[in-house]
Amino acid sequence: MNFELTILGSCSAVPTSEKYPTAQVLNLLERFFLIDCGEGTQIQLRRMKISFAKIRHIFISHLHGDHFYGLPGFISTRNLLGITSDVHIWSHSDLAGLLQPLFSQMKGKLGFRVIFHPLNFQRPDKIFSDSKAEVFSFPLKHSIPCCGFLFREKQNLPKIRKEKITEFRIPVSQMQKIKEGAGFTTGEGIIIPNEQLTFPPPPPRSYAFCTDTAYCEPVVETIHGADLLYHEATFLSDLEGLAVNTLHSTASHAATIARKAGVKKLIIGHFSTRYKNEDDFLNEARQIFENTDIASEGKKFSIGVHHTQAL
Ligand SMILES: [Zn+2]
């Protein structure tokens, strides 16, 4: 089942001819979550053939322009396309006041509701939950209130061993009960305990998003064990003082958080345009956390792989 991240924009505040400000789309079991929405997001969605209609949930880390200036254009185009499904936006509570005047200037009446949900910048908070997925926000350390996000699938039920279905001729009608913990009584009246019929499901997969932030150790507990972590790395360690002063991270900071949190893979981005060679970021991070990759426009990252040999 799909759990995949697509990078739409990966640069820091100043875009280049090839790099867009921060935006990502996460496909979590066919829920398409837009994470930050820098300028140019709608162009990148077009380029990567991601449907505007599928995006109904948007998560904005903070109100620096390079993380949300794409919203008016995205909402306007979504309206011009005739899409009528509502959009939910989680962000700082000031966002609604910033956007509403722009919505009133759009061509045509807005044909869907935009529902704003204020984030909690004091402590981790569950902000979304449905039958298959949940999303948590957690505070980061930046010059204005800023949140990271953890996206996680819900725990699956145990799987039924295929060979047991054949061996005991288990009917389809009994399978849900067995997945929920029941045993099975054969036609001969023999009771087969649940443990013999099932094996545990894989642990829930998760993706953590951390930008913009200075080195922020409290996040380690919240994102612990994530399958994939995106962490900003605006600077290299040669400018650690500048990173500290501007409340951003170095590649070493990002890698240290990844190592302490025991994540499986790290991707870094949001590099300052003063650096010309992205490999320098990769090399610095890999000295601390080997399984590091670079986020760049158009790249996709699969998150965990579930085995599908069981029912
Ligand atoms: Zn910022």
Side-chain angles (χ1 to χ4, degrees):
M1 294 286 272
N2 253 352
F3 197 173
E4 185 180 71
L5 181 72
T6 302
I7 306 295
L8 305 180
S10 72
C11 72
S12 57
V14 181
T16 68
S17 56
E18 288 146 15
K19 295 266 181 186
Y20 288 72
T22 305
Q24 306 181 350
V25 171
L26 182 71
N27 173 358
L28 203 179
L29 306 173
E30 297 309 307
R31 290 140 188 82
F32 286 76
F33 296 133
L34 177 60
I35 311 166
D36 277 350
C37 187
E39 190 184 346
T41 293
Q42 61 168 328
I43 313 286
Q44 291 293 76
L45 288 170
R46 281 293 204 221
R47 191 168 281 151
M48 298 185 202
K49 300 184 171 35
I50 297 172
S51 156
F52 281 41
K54 285 183 175 172
I55 293 177
R56 299 176 184 182
H57 304 94
I58 303 174
F59 301 85
I60 302 294
S61 61
H62 66 301
L63 297 187
H64 279 151
D66 53 321
H67 293 259
F68 81 97
Y69 281 173
L71 277 172
F74 170 74
I75 296 291
S76 174
T77 302
R78 197 178 188 276
N79 194 42
L80 290 173
L81 292 171
I83 299 162
T84 56
S85 54
D86 292 343
V87 171
H88 293 261
I89 303 178
W90 283 262
S91 71
H92 190 282
S93 56
D94 285 354
L95 185 64
L98 293 171
L99 291 182
Q100 298 290 7
L102 294 172
F103 292 168
S104 68
Q105 299 297 317
M106 283 178 185
K107 288 181 188 168
K109 193 171 172 296
L110 198 55
F112 52 85
R113 291 185 303 161
V114 179
I115 300 147
F116 291 94
H117 304 269
L119 290 171
N120 179 343
F121 294 94
Q122 306 306 315
R123 64 190 71 83
D125 197 14
K126 186 190 280 194
I127 56 176
F128 173 90
S129 179
D130 68 9
S131 60
K132 298 242 163 107
E134 51 195 357
V135 184
F136 300 82
S137 64
F138 50 90
L140 296 171
K141 192 173 165 189
H142 197 40
S143 51
I144 61 172
C146 185
C147 272
F149 302 105
L150 178 71
F151 301 83
R152 193 165 67 193
E153 64 181 351
K154 286 193 168 166
Q155 177 74 61
N156 287 305
L157 292 171
K159 309 279 185 186
I160 303 177
R161 295 173 184 275
K162 270 189 171 176
E163 70 277 14
K164 299 295 178 185
I165 295 172
T166 312
E167 182 181 346
F168 298 118
R169 293 193 294 279
I170 298 173
V172 172
S173 61
Q174 295 298 305
M175 288 186 184
Q176 187 61 25
K177 282 184 189 165
I178 293 170
K179 286 181 181 179
E180 289 169 0
F184 177 69
T185 305
T186 66
E188 295 77 36
I190 300 164
I191 296 169
I192 313 296
N194 182 271
E195 308 80 75
Q196 286 186 28
L197 301 173
T198 61
F199 57 85
R205 297 169 295 174
S206 61
Y207 167 60
F209 172 86
C210 293
T211 198
D212 294 356
T213 186
Y215 181 75
C216 182
E217 202 153 305
V219 309
V220 164
E221 187 182 341
T222 306
I223 68 172
H224 199 271
D227 294 85
L228 183 67
L229 165 65
Y230 170 83
H231 197 293
E232 71 129 293
T234 307
F235 300 102
L236 295 171
S237 288
D238 64 332
L239 291 178
E240 184 171 353
L242 191 56
V244 170
N245 288 339
T246 57
L247 293 141
H248 281 293
S249 292
T250 64
S252 293
H253 289 151
T256 302
I257 292 292
R259 194 182 64 192
K260 289 193 174 185
V263 304
K264 296 186 178 68
K265 183 180 179 73
L266 168 67
I267 48 177
I268 50 176
H270 203 267
F271 308 138
S272 166
T273 49
R274 79 189 66 219
Y275 296 102
K276 298 300 168 223
N277 188 356
E278 292 189 346
D279 284 344
D280 291 342
F281 286 87
L282 204 53
N283 293 335
E284 181 174 308
R286 281 181 173 168
Q287 285 176 24
I288 296 168
F289 189 83
E290 175 59 31
N291 195 10
T292 302
D293 204 346
I294 284 179
S296 61
E297 280 65 8
K299 245 186 190 174
K300 293 175 184 289
F301 296 89
S302 282
I303 297 161
V305 178
H306 270 176
H307 302 291
T308 53
Q309 74 273 29
L311 294 175

